[in-house]
Every structure is written in structure tokens, then in C-alpha cells.
């Protein structure tokens, strides 16, 4: 027992040593300016900001490649485009004016006119640095805020026709699955059968939500709530009726993977991550 104080001291020392390191591991992102919203759906018809970014990357690549080939004429065409798109950053989001260096573009033009590929390459690197600096501070949050689908506004109807939220549907699904498992465990066949019916209706209700994002594409729904799901639900019903507990548990496990987990891996993980980064 007399070792205890020593042990405590060692632990305290360790935590003193570890805590500063821990603080250094904290990741910080800056909140993007509100004016960015104008350049994303639904405020805008298109994802204007993102498409400007894709163009910037293409223009940088073209200039790099033509510089290597010493193809000044074609290179200049792309420099002109880069100039326009690069400067549009501060036009679209004035708060970000300090994040770009337009003078690098003027220099790029001068070096291209002189046919100085070496300096062109160096200047491109410096421009790239401004891209990277902004991305490091802002990119993850911007992607999370403006490009993660939101399920809050989706309305579903439950079995008696009353509207409920996506989240309510999820909690109902979870309750049904667990009620079946509990009832199977306790030999309550009719409870299990009723819960199986509920689960089926809840999945049907959920199926009506897919088109709100996937529009006319029927494949996503078929993949998760299609024929294979229907077949497994029928199997589940038959097995419960026959009192085959182990086989019922097994098929429920399959449904859990092919329906719940598969859909969660696509939609829920990003959604939950977004809500952690940007609570709303
Ligand atoms: C569209 C595909 C999809 C399917 C199929 C699906 N889920 Fe979900 N689930 C989600 C999404 C998206 C969220 C996050 C929704 C939110 O928090 O608003 C979620 C969240 C949940 C939650 C957490 C709810 C809360 O209160 O935070 C539970 C529990 C859940 N799902 C259970 C299930 C079960 C059980 C199944 C299978 C029977 C299932 N889900 C099938 C997409 C799906
Ligand atoms: C002032 C800030 C800022 C500057 C400067 C900037 N970007 Fe971006 N960029 C962003 C933000 C914010 C995103 C995230 C957009 C999103 O996910 O919708 C992004 C995303 C991108 C993407 C998309 C990555 C992907 O695949 O999702 C590319 C490509 C890109 N930027 C290229 C560039 C290039 C090349 C430059 C420099 C010539 C540049 N950006 C300069 C802010 C900036
Ligand atoms: C709030 C928007 C939203 C809703 C609602 C939604 N999804 Fe998705 N889903 C997405 C996004 C975004 C992607 C990824 C991009 C893409 O493939 O369109 C995706 C991708 C998928 C994919 C993988 C890509 C593919 O086509 O195979 C499947 C499968 C899928 N969803 C199934 C469903 C099902 C089933 C439902 C309804 C129960 C549903 N989704 C409801 C937004 C949504």
C-alpha cells in the first residue's frame, strides 16, 4: 500500500507530460464566410464554387504540361483562364481577398511571354501554395456544410398515415428489430410476428423518401430496399411462424447488414460527421 503515493505521482507526471502533446493534436478549422453560401445549392442553381475549383485544377495542370513542352502559345490560353478563375475567388467571396495573390498571375504572364519555363514552374508552385493554405483551413468544413445531404426536412408517413420525421422512422426501425429479437428470445411468437409486420411497413415508408434526393434514379432504392429485401422479409415471416428461432435471428442479421448497415455506410456516417463538425 505504501507504493500508492509513488504510483500517483508517476501518473501525475505522465499526465503532465502527455497533456501538452494532447493539446497539439487538436485540429482546428476556420468557419467559412457566410457569403460562400450564394455559390452553392440551394441558393444557387449550380455548385458554382466547386466547379470553379475543378477548373482551377485543370488550368494549373494544363499550364504545367505546356510549360514542360515549351508550348507558349497554348500555355497562354490557359493562363488567361486561370487568371479569370483565380481572381473570381475574391469576387465571389470578398472576405477571402487576402487568401489569394493576384500579382503571381501577372508574373506568370510575364514569364510566359519571355518563354521562361523555369520561372513559370516556380510561380505555379507559389500559386499552388495559396491554394493549399486556403484548403488546409477551410476545405473540410465547407465540404461538410455545403455538400452533405440533410435528412431533417424529409417527411414520411407512418402506418396510420401520420407524418413523421426521418429520425422518427429510424428509431421505429430500431425498436421493431429489437422487439423481434427480444420476442424470439422469450418465445413470444405473436409479438415477434406483429413487430415483423411493423418493420416491413416502416421500411416501405422509408422507401418513399429515396426519390427526394435520387429523383428518377430507381437503382439506389432497388439496391437496398428492393427484391432482395422483400425476399428476406418474407423468409423472416415464415421462419418466425414456424418457430425457428436460430434461423430467424440469422435472417435478421442479414437484413441488418444488407439494409441498415449498407445504407448507414453510404448516408449516415457523413451525416453524423457533419453534425459533429457543424452542430445545428
Ligand atoms: C436511407 C438509408 C437508411 C436505411 C435503409 C436505414 N437507415 Fe438508419 N439512418 C440513416 C440516416 C441518414 C441516419 C441519420 C439521420 C439523422 O440523424 O437525421 C440514420 C440514423 C439511424 C439511427 C439513429 C437515429 C437517431 O435518433 O439519431 C438509428 C437507431 C437507425 N438509423 C436505425 C436503423 C435501422 C435499425 C435500420 C434497418 C432496419 C436503418 N436504420 C436503416 C439512413 C438509413
Ligand atoms: C480562398 C480559399 C481557396 C483558394 C485560394 C483555393 N481554393 Fe480550392 N477549395 C476551396 C474550398 C472551400 C473547397 C471545398 C469545396 C467543396 O468541397 O465544395 C475547395 C476545393 C477544391 C477542389 C475540389 C477538391 C475535390 O475533389 O473535392 C479543387 C480541385 C480545388 N479546390 C482546387 C484549387 C486550386 C487549384 C486552387 C489554386 C489555384 C484553389 N483551389 C484555391 C477554397 C479555396
Ligand atoms: C437527403 C438525400 C438522400 C436521401 C433521402 C437518400 N439518399 Fe441515397 N444517396 C445520397 C447521396 C448524396 C449519395 C451519394 C451520391 C449519389 O450516388 O447520388 C447517395 C448514394 C446512395 C447509394 C449508392 C449509390 C448508388 O446509386 O448505388 C445508394 C444505394 C443509396 N443512396 C440508396 C438510398 C436509398 C435506398 C434511399 C431511401 C431509403 C436513399 N438513398 C435516400 C443522398 C440521399
Amino acid at each position: 500500500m505504501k507504493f500508492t503515493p509513488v504510483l500517483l505521482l508517476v501518473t501525475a507526471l505522465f499526465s503532465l507530460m502527455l497533456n501538452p502533446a494532447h493539446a497539439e493534436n487538436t485540429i482546428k478549422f476556420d468557419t467559412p464566410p457566410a457569403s460562400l453560401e450564394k455559390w452553392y445549392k440551394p441558393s444557387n442553381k449550380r455548385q458554382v464554387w466547386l466547379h470553379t475549383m475543378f477548373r482551377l485544377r485543370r488550368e494549373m495542370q494544363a499550364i504545367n504540361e505546356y510549360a514542360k513542352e515549351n508550348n507558349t502559345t497554348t500555355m497562354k490560353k490557359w493562363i488567361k483562364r486561370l487568371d479569370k478563375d483565380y481572381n473570381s475567388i475574391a469576387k465571389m467571396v470578398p472576405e477571402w481577398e487576402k487568401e489569394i495573390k493576384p500579382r503571381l498571375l501577372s508574373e506568370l504572364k510575364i514569364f510566359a511571354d519571355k518563354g521562361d519555363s523555369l520561372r513559370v514552374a516556380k510561380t505555379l508552385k507559389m500559386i499552388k501554395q495559396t491554394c493549399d493554405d486556403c484548403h488546409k483551413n477551410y476545405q473540410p468544413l465547407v465540404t461538410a456544410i455545403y455538400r452533405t445531404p440533410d435528412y431533417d426536412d424529409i417527411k414520411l408517413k407512418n402506418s396510420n398515415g401520420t407524418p413523421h420525421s426521418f429520425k422518427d422512422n429510424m428509431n421505429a426501425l430500431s425498436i421493431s428489430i429489437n422487439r423481434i429479437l427480444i420476442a424470439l428470445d422469450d418465445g413470444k411468437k405473436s409479438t415477434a410476428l406483429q413487430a415483423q409486420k411493423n418493420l416491413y411497413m416502416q421500411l416501405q415508408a422509408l422507401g418513399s423518401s429515396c426519390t427526394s434526393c435520387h429523383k428518377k434514379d430507381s437503382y439506389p432504392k432497388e439496391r437496398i430496399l428492393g427484391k432482395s429485401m422483400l425476399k428476406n422479409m418474407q423468409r423472416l415471416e415464415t421462419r418466425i411462424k414456424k418457430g425457428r428461432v436460430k434461423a430467424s435471428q440469422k435472417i435478421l442479421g442479414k437484413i441488418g447488414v444488407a439494409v441498415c448497415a449498407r445504407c448507414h455506410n453510404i448516408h449516415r456516417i457523413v451525416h453524423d460527421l457533419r453534425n459533429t463538425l457543424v452542430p445545428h
Side-chain angles (χ1 to χ4, degrees):
M1 274 300 114
K2 62 179 174 189
F3 288 119
T4 318
V6 181
L7 265 179
L8 276 177
L9 186 67
V10 171
T11 322
L13 268 177
F14 259 108
S15 53
L16 272 178
M17 280 155 61
L18 287 175
N19 273 340
H22 204 77
E24 273 168 30
N25 283 337
T26 314
I27 302 172
K28 275 197 198 143
F29 298 123
D30 296 328
T31 313
S35 57
L36 188 61
E37 191 191 331
K38 276 198 296 245
W39 309 106
Y40 276 99
K41 285 181 190 169
S43 298
N44 205 295
K45 263 196 276 182
R46 294 187 320 118
Q47 309 286 69
V48 178
W49 181 268
L50 183 62
H51 286 284
T52 308
M53 291 296 137
F54 289 145
R55 280 200 307 278
L56 284 172
R57 178 162 56 189
R58 187 154 54 245
E59 288 148 6
M60 296 282 282
Q61 181 179 337
I63 299 164
N64 245 319
E65 290 177 2
Y66 290 122
K68 278 187 197 131
E69 291 172 15
N70 285 317
N71 184 343
T72 314
T73 324
T74 321
M75 181 168 69
K76 278 195 202 157
K77 169 184 138 186
W78 289 94
I79 290 180
K80 216 171 161 188
R81 290 186 183 174
L82 180 69
D83 187 38
K84 181 171 170 278
D85 283 325
Y86 190 71
N87 282 302
S88 76
I89 288 179
K91 285 201 187 106
M92 287 195 271
V93 183
E95 297 92 327
W96 273 346
E97 197 177 346
K98 57 189 182 310
E99 301 281 335
I100 59 167
K101 294 182 179 154
R103 74 168 166 82
L104 290 176
L105 263 299
S106 319
E107 288 172 22
L108 193 66
K109 265 183 260 169
I110 295 168
F111 297 139
D113 282 336
K114 287 185 184 157
D116 189 344
S117 311
L118 208 73
R119 285 232 165 85
V120 166
K122 269 195 184 153
T123 312
L124 276 180
K125 263 201 189 135
M126 288 159 81
I127 297 172
K128 179 72 172 36
Q129 191 59 51
T130 69
C131 319
D132 293 348
D133 287 346
C134 184
H135 292 161
K136 202 168 154 239
N137 291 334
Y138 293 104
Q139 191 173 357
L141 267 194
V142 170
T143 310
I145 296 171
Y146 296 112
R147 289 206 288 134
T148 310
D150 197 357
Y151 302 86
D152 289 355
D153 295 333
I154 292 173
K155 286 269 168 289
L156 300 166
K157 282 203 167 102
N158 70 7
S159 47
N160 40 34
T162 37
H164 67 164
S165 72
F166 199 89
K167 221 179 205 169
D168 290 339
N169 178 278
M170 287 301 140
N171 287 313
L173 286 172
S174 170
I175 287 171
S176 297
I177 294 234
N178 278 321
R179 188 166 294 149
I180 301 172
L181 286 170
I182 296 165
L184 285 170
D185 212 286
D186 298 333
K188 296 183 172 165
K189 199 196 271 187
S190 63
T191 309
L193 270 178
Q194 184 54 49
Q196 188 274 343
K197 262 203 196 108
N198 293 347
L199 178 64
Y200 178 74
M201 285 189 293
Q202 288 149 3
L203 287 172
Q204 292 290 106
L206 178 63
S208 68
S209 76
C210 313
T211 50
S212 53
C213 294
H214 292 291
K215 310 286 174 203
K216 283 181 183 159
D217 187 358
S218 59
Y219 174 80
K221 185 175 172 190
E222 178 55 36
R223 172 80 178 123
I224 289 169
L225 298 176
K227 280 197 267 318
S228 155
M229 182 278 283
L230 284 176
K231 215 160 142 192
N232 282 334
M233 286 300 288
Q234 276 157 10
R235 281 197 189 119
L236 176 63
E237 189 184 354
T238 322
R239 289 177 191 184
I240 296 174
K241 275 184 182 153
K242 286 185 180 158
R244 295 173 58 198
V245 174
K246 274 239 162 66
S248 302
Q249 289 164 336
K250 205 172 154 196
I251 199 76
L252 255 181
K254 261 195 183 162
I255 293 168
V257 171
V259 176
C260 320
R262 186 168 286 157
C263 210
H264 286 169
N265 286 339
I266 303 169
H267 305 86
R268 188 181 171 187
I269 294 174
V270 250
H271 176 268
D272 287 0
L273 192 62
R274 195 267 298 266
N275 283 4
T276 312
L277 289 172
V278 198
H280 68 285

